[in-house]
Amino acid sequence: MDNNSKIIINVGRQIGSGGRIVAQLLAERFKCRLYDREILNIAAKESGFSMEYFEQNDEHKNFFKSIFHSSTSYPSQNTFYNSEFSQDNLFRIQSEAIKKAAEKESCVFVGRCADYVLRDFPNVINIFITADLNDRIDAVSERRGCTPDEARKIITNGEAQRQKYYNYYTGKRWGHAESYDLCFNSSLLGIGTTAEMIGQIIGRWIVNKGISK
């Protein structure tokens, strides 16, 4: 596909904000391939590492503090990356998988520092979705089947890890407006309307850039 006919939409999100749903709706609207956890599977297949390594490392910076207490077997001696088995190398492998996907077609990526990884690609727009804390607690409680207090802990701990991971690898600040092109609070108008408004902005952006999508 011609580079000028492709678009890349990167969606960062707070836990429970509905960012993943927004990303899915945008992918459907602009006929893009959606990548969320799917990118982990691609990275695992291409590297020869177990999927579990990527799952445990997923947007977490302290993965290797606990890996040696895991019962998971280590990569085979004949894997290409076995001499560089580290968290930074897992990030590199995942980043390569993101780049390869972006080179093939228009994509929407959810998290995983894709905005930084694809910073030199043309036609990239970076979005962050937030929401009011009480709304996020309600969403996590419903999704996980847990109490509001448990949901609050999930959010607090998960976002601390996500922030540490993003800030370390990108040199930017996770969730801060200057790190993105657009920031939206989905509590204001709801997830569906938020996606619709973002879609309208992206549509205008496509026209203004002369992207032949």
Side-chain angles (χ1 to χ4, degrees):
M1 182 181 288
D2 189 323
N3 281 338
N4 201 45
S5 65
K6 292 187 299 185
I7 62 169
I8 304 296
I9 303 169
N10 299 311
V11 180
R13 72 284 182 228
Q14 286 188 306
I15 295 173
S17 66
R20 208 273 181 189
I21 300 173
V22 170
Q24 183 175 2
L25 292 171
L26 292 175
E28 292 171 359
R29 176 169 183 154
F30 294 103
K31 296 179 174 58
C32 297
R33 176 76 177 271
L34 176 66
Y35 288 98
D36 188 0
R37 294 179 62 81
E38 296 86 352
I39 207 69
L40 306 181
N41 186 48
I42 294 171
K45 287 181 178 178
E46 293 188 353
S47 67
F49 284 165
S50 166
M51 175 70 170
E52 187 172 351
Y53 290 116
F54 290 95
E55 288 178 335
Q56 292 185 53
N57 185 54
D58 191 25
E59 295 186 293
H60 284 72
K61 185 66 187 74
N62 296 323
F63 166 62
F64 275 87
K65 287 185 177 180
S66 61
I67 190 171
F68 294 106
H69 301 290
S70 171
S71 60
T72 307
S73 60
Y74 290 96
S76 165
Q77 290 297 312
N78 61 4
T79 56
F80 181 78
Y81 296 105
N82 71 306
S83 63
E84 302 179 43
F85 185 56
S86 68
Q87 187 171 41
D88 287 347
N89 196 50
L90 290 184
F91 177 79
R92 180 176 68 83
I93 296 166
Q94 180 175 288
S95 297
E96 290 173 355
I98 290 171
K99 288 179 181 178
K100 286 181 181 179
E103 287 168 353
K104 293 178 182 177
E105 58 189 336
S106 292
C107 302
V108 176
F109 293 96
V110 179
R112 297 169 184 87
C113 303
D115 56 328
Y116 175 77
V117 172
L118 302 174
R119 63 194 181 281
D120 294 327
F121 275 59
N123 305 335
V124 174
I125 189 164
N126 302 315
I127 298 160
F128 191 83
I129 306 297
T130 183
D132 296 347
L133 180 58
N134 287 339
D135 290 340
R136 294 191 288 125
I137 288 173
D138 289 345
V140 172
S141 295
E142 181 177 351
R143 185 170 69 239
R144 298 285 189 94
C146 61
T147 67
D149 285 343
E150 290 170 335
R152 184 185 293 269
K153 289 179 182 178
I154 289 170
I155 291 169
T156 300
N157 295 337
E159 291 189 348
Q161 287 295 330
R162 191 172 286 178
Q163 181 180 47
K164 186 183 298 184
Y165 181 89
Y166 181 90
N167 293 357
Y168 175 81
Y169 283 112
T170 70
K172 301 193 294 181
R173 295 193 296 171
W174 181 81
H176 287 245
E178 64 269 20
S179 297
Y180 309 91
D181 299 309
L182 298 171
C183 296
F184 274 79
N185 185 331
S186 63
S187 292
L188 293 178
L189 297 172
I191 295 171
T193 305
T194 296
E196 174 63 26
M197 292 184 66
I198 294 173
Q200 291 179 16
I201 293 172
I202 292 175
R204 180 61 63 87
W205 168 73
I206 288 172
V207 172
N208 286 351
K209 284 184 67 70
I211 301 170
S212 54
K213 181 140 179 75

